[in-house]
């Protein structure tokens, strides 16, 4: 399209003869194509004229050659801009400066390529103006490729994942937003909605389009417009109540240009509180300060319409780059020449091409420009391999009421930082996300707390939550007849979690299914993907295939596929009598028999003749006595008070244990156990018998895809009654050998029926979760809420309310002996018995030691001081053991006799 337009325009012109300069020219024409009545063009025109005046006033720059400006107005139109470029080239311009519009730059670049005229733009930031397509195009500003990378880092810094782009629908707008989308994708974010404004859109059109964007959900806006019309967007947003603390607004560097050049900046800031935007950073220097003073003087004299902005500095340095490049060219070739283009000669007769010539030294001048490396008032002027100005720094600005504050900087080297990057011009790869930081930011509405950046729903547009309309297992989710309300286990979990979400989400339940058969859960998930509903709530299993389509919350219940079948009576083995107690229980019980026998022997040895005699007889007596108490057939009586207390507690413990043992053994011998020929999923698959599954469950796809079960073996069952009927019939009578289903359904079924049970263990691990559209922030918040419900115990209370109405007996296959009596059931009784036994031993020991001390004193008094002074510790110990072995009656007789030195020893 551009080529046809140019050919039509070229046909209006006539041919001139070849011009050859044999010596250094006195003047060199430089073309300038600008939209002169725009903010950027108005500033750039004056800056360019000042630069030309400075260069021409300095004879050392071009050594006597003068720069001559040829100014043309593009009026921000590709058509008029192309005509302006041809007019400039008709006057033998060796280079074109401008335009500031990316759209116009696209058109003129075709002319520059054809006639080999370098084109330098200080404002065309469109990243698609590449050196591959336009080798003669040089950019003396930052490409939007880097600005959008900075914007993506800024958005990622605040952890927003979805944004809305507002832009003018031309090449500059579309290509800039395309770069933003690419940059956000690297941060796992995206542009979810694009508000493309027509060129020169009125406030009514802008208002209509912004209103439409409010129903999308995200409240993070990126505005990529022009300085001349962009402020109207914020004015309309203010009227639409979109500059409140619910919204977030970012803007590219057009806004800084508009504010820097505004005559009354305070009036513009009224609608911009909380907006964050960029400005190309120009480091402070003496030359910059001097240029600002000169500009202010021109402004005071009325020679300048706008205040100075960044593009003024860039335009000034662009002219100097052109002058230095021309000087290098003239130093080498000493002349400037043009010649006819062969391509134009070929079409001369048809289109009557005019006075356009190819610049013979265009390639050489281009090479000289690319080698430039000097410091201007805007900083370092040097081109990279893509023929863009080497990457610089963006300043991050924030509007705080009527003040513009700097909150940080961005560069490709250091990322976001509160300090000016020390290494500005670096090609090092950016790996700085962990170190990003900014100063304090004021958000729209004057708040300092970061907005949520997303509105899920409103009362006018509620959040649509789909749920399965079940015909079986309705305890999980069901509609209340005659109302629009929904109840059930999954519903209560969803509502409880939503209450913990730190913001209001108006929602509406949407039933899915005909109510006559269980719906397909895959179809329900696909409705979320297709945006028919916003989320899916219910007993939805989290599977690999589904996680590729939607985002699931944290599982709120653990599930897994299990095998359920009909049960039969077990065969009684010869060792069944050992099964009521666990091994640990048998060991502890045996230890207590030995301990009790030993304690009774100690307590009765001194007072009971049945526990005296030879050592072998005493050991047998204590052991037999303890074990005979189990049947109350002991021949020995206890006569001591501590011994009787110990025996009383011991008899009580034996009564409880024997009663429990009898009941458990009876259960083992009479109650039906899970002893089906099917022992688990492996034996079920190998049996080649029919397998039942719940209609709509993912168990069907798992059995066929993962376990390679043939579809002909699978029988669809739609209700609990169908479960019972199929299992009762069995595989030989048209039923099934077993049913494969998720554990919560199976537990619910077993709690209401008898004669069925789980065999084997769960052969998958999974859970149920709520499904949301990809990257919906509510999915994360709901996951956090579910964890809080679990930690507080509320999740278990909801489970017990709906799924344990008739109790929740354990039917799991991982406990092969659910009727075993464990030590935990009796540890309290064993503890009481042990404490009383220990207390009796302690009392006996204290009493015996006291008697021995008194006995020793009496004996020492009778023998005299000489008899006791030489006794060793071992002698005392043997004396104590001998004393303990004496009868209690003999000791009492000793203490009752009068003291006498000749008193004989008691035996």
């Amino acid at each position: 399209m551009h080529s046809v337009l140019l050919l039509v325009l070229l046909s209006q012109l006539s041919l001139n003869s070849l011009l050859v300069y044999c010596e250094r020219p006195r003047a060199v024409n430089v073309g300038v194509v600008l939209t002169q009545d725009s903010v950027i063009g108005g500033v750039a025109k004056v800056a360019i004229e000042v630069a030309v005046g400075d260069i021409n006033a300095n004879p050392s720059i071009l050594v006597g050659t003068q720069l001559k400006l040829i100014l043309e107005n593009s009026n921000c139109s590709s058509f008029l801009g192309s005509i302006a470029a041809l007019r400039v080239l008709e006057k033998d311009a060796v280079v074109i400066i401008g335009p500031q519009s990316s759209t116009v730059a696209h058109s003129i670049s075709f002319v520059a390529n054809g006639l080999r005229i370098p084109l330098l733009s200080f404002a065309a930031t469109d990243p698609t103006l590449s050196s591959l397509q336009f080798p003669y195009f040089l950019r003396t500003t930052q490409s939007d490729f880097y600005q959008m990378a900075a914007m993506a880092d800024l958005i990622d810094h605040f952890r927003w994942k979805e944004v809305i782009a507002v832009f003018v629908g031309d090449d500059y707008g579309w290509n800039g937003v395309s770069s933003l989308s690419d940059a956000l994708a690297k941060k796992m974010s995206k542009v979810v909605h694009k508000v493309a404004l027509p060129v020169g859109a009125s406030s009514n059109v802008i208002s209509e389009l912004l209103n439409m964007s409010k129903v999308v959900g995200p409240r993070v806006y990126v505005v990529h417009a022009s300085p001349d019309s962009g402020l109207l967007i914020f004015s309309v947003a203010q009227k639409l109540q979109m500059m409140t603390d619910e919204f977030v607004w970012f803007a590219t560097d057009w806004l800084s240009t508009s504010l820097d050049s505004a005559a009354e900046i305070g009036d513009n800031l009224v609608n911009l509180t909380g907006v964050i935007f960029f400005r190309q950073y120009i480091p402070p220097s003496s030359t910059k300060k001097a240029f600002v003073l000169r500009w202010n003087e021109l402004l005071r004299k009325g020679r300048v319409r706008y205040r100075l902005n960044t593009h003024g500095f860039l335009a000034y340095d662009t002219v100097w780059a052109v002058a230095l490049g021309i000087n290098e060219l003239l130093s080498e070739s000493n002349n400037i020449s043009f010649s006819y283009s062969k391509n134009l000669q070929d079409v001369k007769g048809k289109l009557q091409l005019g006075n356009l010539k190819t610049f013979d030294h265009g390639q050489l001048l281009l090479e000289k420009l690319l080698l430039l490396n000097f410091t201007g008032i805007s900083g370092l002027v040097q081109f990279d391999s893509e023929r863009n100005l080497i990457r610089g720094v963006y300043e991050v600005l924030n509007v705080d009421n009527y003040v513009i504050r700097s909150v940080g900087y961005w560069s490709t080297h250091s990322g976001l930082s509160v300090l000016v990057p020390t290494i500005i011009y670096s090609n090092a790869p950016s790996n700085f996300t962990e170190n990003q930081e900014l100063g304090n930011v004021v958000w729209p509405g004057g708040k300092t707390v970061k907005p949520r950046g997303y509105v899920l729903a409103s009362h006018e547009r509620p959040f649509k939550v789909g749920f399965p309309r079940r015909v079986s297992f309705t305890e999980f989710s069901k509609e209340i007849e005659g109302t629009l309300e929904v109840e059930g286990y999954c519903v209560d979990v969803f509502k409880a979690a939503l209450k913990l979400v730190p913001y209001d989400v108006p929602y509406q339940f949407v039933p899915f299914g005909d109510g006559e058969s269980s719906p397909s859960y895959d179809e329900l998930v696909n409705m979320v993907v297709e945006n028919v509903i916003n989320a899916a709530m219910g007993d939805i299993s989290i599977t690999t295939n589904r996680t590729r389509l939607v985002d699931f919350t944290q599982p709120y219940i653990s599930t897994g596929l299990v095998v359920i079948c009909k049960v039969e009576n077990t065969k009684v083995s010869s060792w069944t009598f050992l099964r009521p107690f666990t091994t640990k229980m048998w060991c502890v019980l045996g230890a207590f028999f030995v301990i009790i026998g030993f304690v009774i022997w100690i307590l009765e040895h001194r007072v009971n003749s049945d526990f005296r005699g030879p050592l072998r007889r005493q050991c047998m007596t204590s052991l037999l006595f303890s074990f005979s108490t189990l049947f109350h057939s002991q021949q020995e009586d206890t006569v001591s008070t501590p011994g009787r207390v110990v025996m009383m507690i011991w008899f009580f413990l034996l009564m409880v244990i024997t009663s429990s043992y009898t009941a458990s053994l009876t259960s083992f011998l009479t109650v039906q156990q899970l002893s089906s020929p099917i022992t688990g999923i492996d034996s079920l698959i190998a049996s080649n018998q029919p397998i039942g599954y719940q209609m709509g469950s993912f168990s069907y796809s798992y059995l066929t895809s993962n376990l390679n079960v043939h579809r002909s073996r699978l029988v669809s069952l739609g209700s609990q009654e169908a479960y019972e009927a199929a299992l009762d019939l069995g595989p030989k009578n048209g039923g099934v050998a077993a049913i494969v289903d998720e554990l919560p359904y199976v537990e619910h079924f077993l709690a209401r029926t008898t004669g069925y049970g789980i065999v084997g263990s769960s052969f998958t691990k999974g859970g149920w979760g709520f499904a949301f559209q990809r990257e919906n922030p509510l999915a994360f918040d709901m996951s956090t809420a579910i964890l809080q419900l679990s930690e507080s115990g509320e999740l278990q209370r909801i489970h017990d309310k709906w799924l344990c109405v008739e109790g929740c007996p354990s039917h799991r296959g991982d406990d092969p002996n659910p009727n075993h009596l464990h030590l935990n059931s009796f540890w309290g009784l064993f503890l009481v018995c042990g404490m009383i036994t220990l207390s009796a031993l302690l009392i006996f020991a204290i009493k015996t030691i006291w008697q021995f001390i008194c006995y020793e004193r009496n004996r020492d008094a009778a023998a005299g001081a000489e008899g006791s002074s030489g006794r060793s510790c071992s002698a005392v110990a043997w004396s104590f053991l001998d004393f303990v072995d004496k009868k209690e009656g003999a000791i009492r007789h000793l203490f009752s006799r009068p003291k006498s030195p000749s008193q004989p020893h008691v035996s």
Side-chain angles (χ1 to χ4, degrees):
M1 177 179 177
H2 292 294
S3 301
V4 174
L5 173 63
L6 294 175
L7 290 175
V8 173
L9 294 172
L10 290 173
S11 66
Q12 309 289 326
L13 304 174
S14 60
L15 296 175
N16 284 339
S17 59
L18 175 65
L19 299 176
V20 178
Y21 296 93
C22 298
E23 58 183 20
R24 193 178 182 101
R26 298 183 60 183
V28 176
N29 292 336
V30 175
V32 178
V33 178
L34 298 171
T35 303
Q36 298 179 14
D37 57 349
S38 66
V39 173
I40 295 177
V43 171
K45 177 179 179 295
V46 177
I48 291 172
E49 291 172 343
V50 171
V52 170
D54 292 345
I55 293 169
N56 290 336
N58 189 343
S60 63
I61 302 301
L62 289 173
V63 193
T65 300
Q66 298 285 304
L67 289 183
K68 182 180 179 181
L69 289 181
I70 304 174
L71 289 168
E72 291 290 342
N73 196 343
S74 66
N75 291 309
C76 203
S77 165
S78 296
F79 178 76
L80 296 178
S82 299
I83 295 177
L86 294 174
R87 288 176 179 171
V88 166
L89 296 175
E90 186 182 15
K91 299 176 182 178
D92 298 335
V94 298
V95 68
I96 298 177
I97 297 176
Q100 76 264 22
S101 168
S102 297
T103 304
V104 179
H106 270 281
S107 301
I108 298 180
S109 293
F110 286 103
V111 180
N113 283 356
L115 300 179
R116 292 188 296 193
I117 303 296
L119 173 64
L120 284 77
S121 178
F122 53 87
T125 57
D126 184 351
T128 63
L129 288 165
S130 66
S131 60
L132 294 177
Q133 185 179 10
F134 306 113
Y136 282 84
F137 176 81
L138 287 82
R139 197 192 322 263
T140 57
T141 184
Q142 299 300 314
S143 168
D144 277 342
F145 176 83
Y146 301 109
Q147 182 172 204
M148 294 310 176
M151 184 65 72
D153 284 339
L154 188 61
I155 293 169
D156 183 66
H157 174 75
F158 294 107
R159 303 190 182 280
W160 286 304
K161 294 299 180 182
E162 295 183 342
V163 302
I164 295 175
V166 182
F167 59 97
V168 178
D170 54 13
D171 289 345
Y172 164 73
W174 280 109
N175 295 329
V177 171
S178 178
S179 292
L180 176 62
S181 298
D182 294 340
L184 287 174
K186 297 177 182 178
K187 305 293 182 181
M188 303 302 291
S189 303
K190 62 181 178 180
V191 177
V192 295
H193 185 67
K194 298 177 181 178
V195 181
L197 304 175
V199 178
S202 64
S203 58
N204 291 334
V205 174
I206 297 175
S207 177
E208 181 181 354
L209 293 174
L210 288 182
N211 255 328
M212 293 172 60
S213 71
K214 293 169 67 175
V215 303
V216 178
R219 290 294 185 263
V220 181
Y221 286 78
V222 177
V223 182
H224 185 54
S226 67
D228 300 280
S229 60
L231 288 175
L232 181 60
I233 297 173
F234 288 104
S235 177
V236 172
Q238 181 74 35
K239 295 177 181 178
L240 295 177
Q241 300 297 314
M242 295 178 67
M243 299 300 294
T244 62
D245 56 2
E246 185 181 289
F247 293 82
V248 177
W249 291 90
F250 295 105
T252 51
D253 60 357
W254 68 266
L255 181 57
S256 63
T257 299
S258 180
L259 294 178
D260 290 344
S261 298
E264 297 293 336
I265 187 172
D267 296 337
N268 294 319
L269 295 181
V270 173
N271 301 325
L272 298 175
T273 297
V275 177
I276 300 176
F277 58 100
F278 291 131
R279 175 197 286 149
Q280 293 188 50
Y281 176 70
I282 297 179
S285 64
S286 58
T287 55
K288 175 187 175 183
K289 183 178 180 181
F291 187 75
V292 172
L293 293 176
R294 290 175 63 187
W295 191 274
N296 291 337
E297 181 63 21
L298 293 175
L299 189 65
R300 186 182 64 82
K301 294 179 179 180
R303 294 178 56 186
V304 182
R305 180 181 175 186
Y306 300 102
R307 295 193 303 156
L308 185 61
N309 58 44
T310 304
H311 296 285
F313 297 109
L314 297 174
Y316 183 89
D317 284 346
T318 301
V319 178
W320 274 86
V322 168
L324 294 174
I326 292 174
N327 183 62
E328 292 293 324
L329 171 65
L330 294 177
S331 298
E332 182 172 328
S333 65
N334 205 37
N335 66 74
I336 290 178
S337 63
F338 294 85
S339 61
Y340 292 117
S341 171
K342 184 179 183 301
N343 294 331
L344 296 178
Q345 288 287 346
D346 293 340
V347 296
K348 177 180 177 182
K350 297 179 181 179
L351 298 177
Q352 300 180 2
L353 294 178
N355 224 9
L356 291 179
K357 296 169 289 297
T358 302
F359 183 27
D360 294 333
H361 301 91
Q363 181 63 35
L364 181 59
L365 178 57
L366 178 64
E367 293 173 359
K368 298 300 182 182
L369 291 170
L370 291 175
L371 293 175
L372 288 176
N373 185 352
F374 71 96
T375 300
I377 60 176
S378 63
L380 182 64
V381 177
Q382 183 183 357
F383 296 98
D384 60 16
S385 59
E386 297 296 324
R387 304 185 181 182
N388 298 319
L389 192 66
I390 196 166
R391 287 164 278 179
V393 177
Y394 282 101
E395 188 175 9
V396 184
L397 304 173
N398 179 219
V399 180
D400 182 1
N401 291 322
Y402 290 92
V403 178
I404 298 177
R405 298 185 301 110
S406 176
V407 294
Y409 302 87
W410 182 93
S411 73
T412 54
H413 176 76
S414 62
L416 294 172
S417 174
V418 294
L419 302 176
V420 180
T422 55
I423 303 177
I424 297 178
Y425 309 106
S426 173
N427 293 320
S430 56
N431 184 17
F432 46 79
T433 54
E434 295 181 359
N435 301 320
Q436 291 188 352
E437 56 179 337
L438 285 177
N440 296 326
V441 173
V442 173
W443 301 101
K447 300 294 182 65
T448 57
V449 179
K450 186 189 79 170
R452 189 170 67 250
Y454 199 100
V455 173
L456 291 168
S458 62
H459 293 286
E460 297 78 17
R461 187 181 59 89
F463 194 73
K464 295 181 180 180
V465 182
F467 71 94
R469 184 182 286 163
R470 300 192 58 91
V471 295
S472 62
F473 298 102
T474 56
E475 288 79 5
F476 295 101
S477 62
K478 63 179 179 181
E479 290 181 288
I480 302 176
E481 294 185 6
T483 67
L484 299 177
E485 297 295 324
V486 185
E487 65 178 2
Y489 167 66
C490 302
V491 180
D492 281 5
V493 173
F494 182 86
K495 291 181 177 179
L498 201 59
K499 289 180 180 178
L500 298 179
V501 173
Y503 47 87
D504 182 40
V505 183
Y507 62 91
Q508 173 187 354
F509 285 125
V510 179
F512 172 69
D514 55 13
E516 298 179 359
S517 61
S518 296
S520 170
Y521 283 53
D522 288 336
E523 293 181 10
L524 179 60
V525 171
N526 285 330
M527 290 177 64
V528 178
V529 178
E530 296 169 0
N531 202 29
V532 178
I533 54 178
N534 302 113
M537 177 277 301
D539 44 331
I540 305 172
S541 298
I542 304 174
T543 64
T544 303
N545 291 334
R546 292 172 183 172
T547 54
R548 295 191 182 105
L549 303 174
V550 296
D551 285 343
F552 279 96
T553 62
Q554 173 81 14
Y556 58 86
I557 186 173
S558 297
T559 64
L561 291 177
V562 294
V563 178
I564 177 178
C565 62
K566 195 172 177 62
V567 296
E568 300 174 357
N569 287 329
T570 58
K571 295 181 180 179
V572 180
S573 69
S574 57
W575 296 98
T576 303
F577 70 91
L578 294 176
R579 296 179 64 186
F581 288 158
T582 62
T583 302
K584 185 183 292 186
M585 181 66 181
W586 280 116
C587 292
V588 172
L589 189 59
F592 258 82
F593 272 110
V594 175
I595 292 172
I596 292 298
F598 177 71
V599 170
I600 293 299
W601 174 79
I602 291 177
L603 297 177
E604 295 292 321
H605 177 70
R606 300 182 65 196
V607 295
N608 194 335
S609 300
D610 293 336
F611 291 90
R612 299 185 65 82
L615 180 61
R616 181 179 179 182
R617 178 175 178 274
Q618 293 182 49
C619 291
M620 293 299 297
T621 300
S622 62
L623 288 176
L624 293 176
F625 174 83
S626 177
F627 284 99
S628 63
T629 56
L630 183 63
F631 312 102
H632 300 281
S633 61
Q634 71 277 9
Q635 298 179 356
E636 298 81 4
D637 294 327
T638 53
V639 298
S640 66
T641 300
R644 290 176 178 177
V645 172
V646 171
M647 288 303 299
M648 178 181 66
I649 298 301
W650 175 243
F651 281 137
F652 178 74
L653 187 146
L654 287 179
M655 179 191 70
V656 174
I657 289 179
T658 53
S659 300
S660 302
Y661 174 85
T662 302
S664 181
L665 181 61
T666 302
S667 174
F668 273 109
L669 296 175
T670 60
V671 177
Q672 290 181 328
Q673 302 300 315
L674 306 181
S675 59
S676 168
I678 304 298
T679 59
I681 186 62
D682 293 331
S683 60
L684 177 60
I685 295 175
S687 68
N688 281 329
Q689 294 178 337
I691 303 173
Y693 71 93
Q694 183 185 168
M695 183 185 302
S697 172
F698 89 100
S699 56
Y700 175 82
S701 60
Y702 187 87
L703 290 170
T704 55
S705 302
N706 296 69
L707 301 181
N708 298 318
V709 178
H710 199 274
R711 298 180 179 181
S712 61
R713 292 182 57 190
L714 301 179
V715 179
S716 175
L717 303 173
S719 64
Q720 299 183 61
E721 292 74 16
Y723 278 26
E724 293 186 63
L727 290 172
D728 290 342
L729 287 174
K732 296 181 180 180
N733 300 316
V736 297
I739 297 174
V740 175
D741 205 352
E742 293 181 84
L743 186 60
Y745 300 122
V746 172
E747 288 184 333
H748 185 266
F749 171 72
L750 295 178
R752 288 158 173 76
T753 57
T754 58
Y756 313 95
I758 299 173
V759 293
S761 59
S762 174
F763 55 91
T764 65
K765 298 296 182 182
W768 291 349
F770 305 126
F772 291 86
Q773 293 173 346
R774 280 287 190 185
E775 300 178 7
N776 190 311
L778 185 57
F780 176 81
D781 294 334
M782 288 288 283
S783 294
T784 304
I786 289 172
L787 291 176
Q788 293 176 355
L789 290 175
S790 177
E791 293 171 357
S792 66
E794 181 63 23
L795 204 58
Q796 185 62 42
R797 285 190 286 272
I798 297 174
H799 176 276
D800 296 342
K801 170 187 174 183
W802 286 99
L803 307 183
C804 293
V805 178
E806 300 177 17
C808 282
S810 175
H811 298 276
R812 296 178 181 267
D814 55 359
D815 185 7
N817 298 296
N819 293 324
H820 270 175
L821 295 174
H822 297 267
L823 180 63
N824 292 339
S825 303
F826 303 98
W827 73 269
L829 195 56
F830 278 113
L831 180 63
V832 172
C833 182
M835 291 178 62
I836 293 178
T837 301
L838 184 62
S839 300
L841 279 176
L842 184 62
I843 293 172
F844 173 79
I846 293 173
K847 176 183 176 182
T848 304
I849 292 172
W850 174 252
Q851 288 180 343
F852 175 72
I853 292 172
C854 294
Y855 168 73
E856 284 293 307
R857 287 176 180 175
N858 291 341
R859 195 177 72 167
D860 290 345
E866 297 81 359
S868 61
S869 60
R871 297 179 66 192
S872 64
C873 292
S874 59
V876 174
W878 282 108
S879 176
F880 177 73
L881 293 176
D882 182 65
F883 176 80
V884 170
D885 190 53
K886 297 180 185 299
K887 290 184 178 181
E888 182 75 16
I891 298 300
R892 291 176 181 174
H893 179 71
L894 175 64
F895 288 153
S896 63
R897 294 180 58 185
K899 297 179 182 179
S900 173
S902 60
Q903 185 176 357
H905 180 69
V906 181
S907 60

